[in-house]
Amino acid sequence: MAVAARERNPRQQADPPPTTAAPHRSRVALRVNGRTHVLDLDNRVTLLDVLRERLDLTGSKKGCDHGQCGACTVLVDGRRANSCLLLAVTQDGSEITTVEGLGAADGSLSPLQQAFLDHDALQCGYCTPGQLCSAVGVLREAAAGHPSHVTDAATAADSTRPVVLTAEEIRERLSGNLCRCGAYNGIADAVAACSAAEDPRPAARPPAAALRPDPTPDVTA
């Protein structure tokens, strides 16, 4: 009877096909802390969630999940970024460094990490991983001559010279990282103590193959 009714009423719409298609997914190769991971990911998942939930790198913290607190800051191809705002599929082939990758291969702390301890630059520690990654980015940017909002015009005009990290420069450049405990003075002092370092980059790590007996990348379905 239903078929006959549709034939009598041409405006009657046919039953829609069932929607059984799965969400779109992609195969992505993420190189994190010198190690390549090949993952099958939902196109909507963020880099932060992949780091924490799929790779068990829980140093990067989920604070606001809106890119406003900086707790999730990581380094992507050497530049700091809020991992909660990055879709993981857009980072295929990128070199990502989390707080777990800042130290030396033997587990010893980097000079910046040690400076955070020496200057009491943390209390609860929740924001500290993001503060550390952001501070590495600050040291690199200043060393490369990148000006900030508070850099004077003469210095900003000559990008061939490093920018001196005054207290004002440090506060401005780290303003995107919030510390609810209020350890800002210690954080600024720690960064200032490292600002004269010749190479503010993380300690050199051995090739990925040397970190594991099997040189093939991790493959996770």
Side-chain angles (χ1 to χ4, degrees), residues 30 32 37 39 49-57 220:
L30 297 179
V32 184
H37 305 267
L39 305 168
D49 285 339
V50 171
L51 292 173
R52 291 181 57 83
E53 306 298 334
R54 298 292 298 274
L55 302 183
D56 200 27
L57 295 171
T220 305

Side-chain angles (χ1 to χ4, degrees), residues 146-219:
H146 297 167
S148 76
H149 179 68
V150 300
T151 306
D152 63 85
T155 302
D158 185 4
S159 60
T160 62
R161 295 187 301 172
V163 176
V164 177
L165 285 177
T166 62
E168 186 180 20
E169 283 279 359
I170 294 172
R171 287 196 297 268
E172 168 63 24
R173 292 172 186 263
L174 284 173
S175 60
N177 290 79
L178 304 183
C179 174
R180 292 174 175 83
C181 297
Y184 293 116
N185 289 337
I187 293 169
D189 290 344
V191 175
C194 293
S195 63
E198 294 182 3
D199 188 357
R201 295 173 297 177
R205 299 177 67 86
L211 295 176
R212 47 187 306 199
D214 182 3
T216 59
D218 287 338
V219 178

